Structure formats: C-alpha cells, structure tokens
C-alpha cells in the first residue's frame, strides 16, 4: 500500500444519506464503499448508529458495517451518538467509532438532549467500553466536536470555549479528534487560529478537519487547516450532504475537488481521480437527487493534470 501525505475520509454515506429522505438499499451502500475503496479512499464512515426510528436511512448500519469490513485495507468508521450506539457499532465490528458532541450548548441540547458536560461523560463511558474489549476487537475512538466555527442556534461559538472543549474531550481518553464546521460558518483565518491552537493542546493526538461547503469556503478552509499541519480531511463524493437547516444548500467539501486540489499541490492522497469520478457517476445513477456539487466533475480534468509524485 502506498504511503499518503493526506488522508481523505468519505463521510457522504453517513452525513449525506442521513440528510435526505431516500433510503439507499444496503446493496447499493456496499457497492459505493467497494467502488470508492477501489479508487483509493482508505476510510469511510459507512453508517450512524442512531435509533432506527429516528433515522430509517441508517437502520441497516450493522449490516453495512459487517459487509464493509470485508473490503481489504479499508477503515470502517461509524458515527455513534451515545453508549447504546457504541455498543451496537462494536457488535457490528466497526474499526472506528466517531463519537460526537456540539461545542455550543444550544446545538448539543437540540441534537442529543444533553449538556456538553453530560456528552463528555458519555465519551468517557464509550472509551471505558472500548478499553474493556480484547485488544483485537478494540476500535479507535474518535471524538467529534461539532459547531466549532459557529452555530445555527447560538451564532458565535467563542474560540476559548472550543479550545476548552478540545482539552476536556482529550481528557476523556479518546484516540483522535475531529473539529467540524457542521453548518458552514467557518472562514480560513478562524480555521487557522483554531487548528493551530488545538494542535498545541493535543500534542501527538491526531486531529482531523470536517468542513461543509455551505457558503463556498470549504476548500479554502481545507487549505487553512493544511497550513497548520492537519493531514486528515473529511469530504463527500459529489459534495453530497446538505445542511438540514438550509434546504438546497451544498453539503460537505466535494471529494473529487479536494483530491484534485491536493494532488495538484503535490500532496499524495492515494486516490485515483479518474476512478473516483466514475464512482461519482455511479452515485448519481443511484440517488434520486440532482443536488451534486463539485467543479471537476463538470469541467473535467485539465490536460496537464498530474497526480502527486
Ligand atoms: Zn458534517
């Protein structure tokens, strides 16, 4: 397996599919994962273990995880909103549990009906659950902090509050952290400040970035994060994954555009862009939505495109 400079992680199967009412058949989800892994994407968040009655789109999570585990070299991640979800994800065999809270109290309450302190206690319970497992069954626990760059309910989220939450989240014993601009409020200057400061707090603990392109700043924010040394970026095929609070708004950073940018900058992603564009066409044929983003898929690759050497 070739070494990569930047790890690009697909989140559309969770972030995207949960935001539309269409329920993608399990076989198509599996085909998506197989095809995207074959194009070189090494980590995919394939499901969310929320109660099936809340998100019927994710009701087949256990089966999707179990099937995705058979794909060689792929890290199979699953979002878990609480301990119950973590137990189900462990049972299914997820390699990575993405546990989440919102830094903004109002957003956290609206999302999971907990205070941030209660959510942090849940992080610690999930870490304890994982540590009690035999080593070969122990998934990585990644703590996700949503609304780090602004909140649809509270507006500003003070940077000191974000950094304080970073510190408290790390203290729960998580293995990795992801800072998310859940609602597309962030700008590159803010991204640079927060990621630089968060890495000083985190030390050797890896931090990833999760941006939405809601207001067109997704790639600019990705570059700002890269500038501070971040090497793990979330994205979704076709920029799939709208904002639930803004119907019609664009979703996550577009995977094809992100790979194009990184490879053109000389940063290896391990992803074959032509094959990735084929996966996008497959997804376009499966999803009953035309709200796909991404410029490269429309314009095509430039004649002088060269992947990073
Ligand atoms: Zn998101």
């Amino acid at each position: 397996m070739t070494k990569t400079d930047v790890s690009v992680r697909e989140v559309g199967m969770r972030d995207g599919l949960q935001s539309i009412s269409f329920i993608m058949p399990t076989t198509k989800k599996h085909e998506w994962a197989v095809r995207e892994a074959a194009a070189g994407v090494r980590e995919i968040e394939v499901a969310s273990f929320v109660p099936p009655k809340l998100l019927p789109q994710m009701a087949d999570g256990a089966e999707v995880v179990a099937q995705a585990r058979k794909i060689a070299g792929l890290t199979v991640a699953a979002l878990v909103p609480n301990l119950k979800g973590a137990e189900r994800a462990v049972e299914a065999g997820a390699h990575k549990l993405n546990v989440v809270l919102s830094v903004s109290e109002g957003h956290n309450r609206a999302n999971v009906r907990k205070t941030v302190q209660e959510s942090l206690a849940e992080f610690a319970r999930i870490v304890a659950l994982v540590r009690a497992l035999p080593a070969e069954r122990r998934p990585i626990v990644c703590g996700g902090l949503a609304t780090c760059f602004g909140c649809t309910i509270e507006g500003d989220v003070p940077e000191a509050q974000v950094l304080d939450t970073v510190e408290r989240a790390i203290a729960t014993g998580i293995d990795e952290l992801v800072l998310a601009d859940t609602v597309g409020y962030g700008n590159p200057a803010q991204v640079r400040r927060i990621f630089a400061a968060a890495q000083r707090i985190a030390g050797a603990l890896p931090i990833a970035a999760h941006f939405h392109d809601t207001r067109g700043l997704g790639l600019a924010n990705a570059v700002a994060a890269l500038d501070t040394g971040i090497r793990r970026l979330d994205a979704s095929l076709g920029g799939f994954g709208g904002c639930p609070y803004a119907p019609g708004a664009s979703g996550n950073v577009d995977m094809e555009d992100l790979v194009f940018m990184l490879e053109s900058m000389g940063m290896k992603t391990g992803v074959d862009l032509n094959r990735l564009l084929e996966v996008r066409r497959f997804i376009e044929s499966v999803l009953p939505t035309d709200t796909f983003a991404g410029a490269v898929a429309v314009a095509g690759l430039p004649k002088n495109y060269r992947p990073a050497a």
Side-chain angles (χ1 to χ4, degrees):
M1 208 168 280
T2 51
K3 203 185 160 302
T4 62
D5 298 317
V6 178
S7 160
V8 292
R9 303 130 41 112
E10 174 64 56
V11 295
M13 285 181 71
R14 192 275 308 166
D15 216 343
L17 288 179
Q18 75 175 21
S19 67
I20 61 170
S21 57
F22 172 71
I23 299 178
M24 187 182 271
T26 311
T27 52
K28 295 293 181 193
K29 290 184 182 178
H30 183 59
E31 193 175 346
W32 179 352
V34 167
R35 285 173 182 250
E36 200 164 345
V41 172
R42 310 268 169 79
E43 180 170 336
I44 305 181
E45 191 178 60
V46 298
S48 172
F49 284 84
V50 291
K53 61 176 184 299
L54 288 184
L55 272 184
Q57 302 93 315
M58 298 286 133
D60 59 356
E63 202 181 334
V64 174
V65 166
Q67 289 186 12
R69 270 177 59 91
K70 294 178 195 150
I71 303 170
L74 182 71
T75 297
V76 179
L79 189 135
V80 300
N82 51 36
L83 185 63
K84 182 94 191 77
E87 285 165 355
R88 288 170 58 211
V90 165
E91 182 67 28
H95 298 130
K96 187 184 271 193
L97 308 183
N98 292 334
V99 301
V100 282
L101 64 78
S102 300
V103 174
S104 130
E105 289 284 352
H107 198 271
N108 203 53
R109 228 178 353 260
N111 230 10
V112 291
R113 294 197 190 87
K114 284 189 175 94
T115 65
V116 170
Q117 184 53 49
E118 285 164 350
S119 282
L120 286 164
E122 195 80 350
F123 274 28
R125 281 190 284 272
I126 291 168
V127 167
L129 165 83
V130 166
R131 286 191 181 162
L133 294 168
E136 70 281 2
R137 284 189 57 210
R138 216 175 280 159
I140 293 165
V141 180
C142 175
L145 304 186
T147 65
C148 283
F149 304 89
C151 168
T152 41
I153 295 166
E154 295 184 2
D156 283 334
V157 178
E159 291 179 16
Q161 189 181 330
V162 175
L163 298 175
D164 178 58
T165 312
V166 164
E167 205 171 334
R168 291 157 71 202
I170 292 171
T172 65
I174 54 173
D175 306 302
E176 185 185 340
L177 195 63
V178 54
L179 305 187
D181 183 14
T182 319
V183 293
Y185 278 25
N187 68 70
Q190 182 190 22
V191 164
R192 217 167 258 127
R193 283 193 304 273
I194 291 179
F195 275 96
Q199 286 171 99
R200 282 194 291 274
I201 295 168
L205 186 122
I207 304 185
H210 177 107
F211 297 118
H212 281 242
D213 198 35
T214 322
R215 289 168 184 84
L217 298 188
L219 282 183
N221 287 336
V223 170
L226 285 168
D227 284 348
T228 70
I230 295 298
R231 293 294 180 267
R232 299 169 189 225
L233 297 169
D234 288 354
S236 74
L237 205 66
F240 183 46
C243 172
Y245 304 100
S250 55
N252 290 101
V253 167
D254 179 90
M255 180 63 90
E256 314 88 78
D257 289 2
L258 178 67
V259 168
F260 171 66
M261 183 185 81
L262 291 168
E263 294 285 339
S264 300
M265 289 167 77
M267 304 180 104
K268 266 193 284 208
T269 61
V271 179
D272 179 323
L273 195 43
N274 281 303
R275 291 185 77 175
L276 188 68
L277 289 164
E278 282 168 26
V279 188
R280 174 193 166 112
R281 284 190 285 276
F282 160 73
I283 289 302
E284 283 175 332
S285 75
V286 173
L287 287 172
T289 167
D290 54 4
T291 54
F292 291 94
V296 172
V298 176
L301 286 174
K303 208 171 201 168
N304 65 349
Y305 172 70
R306 261 178 243 103

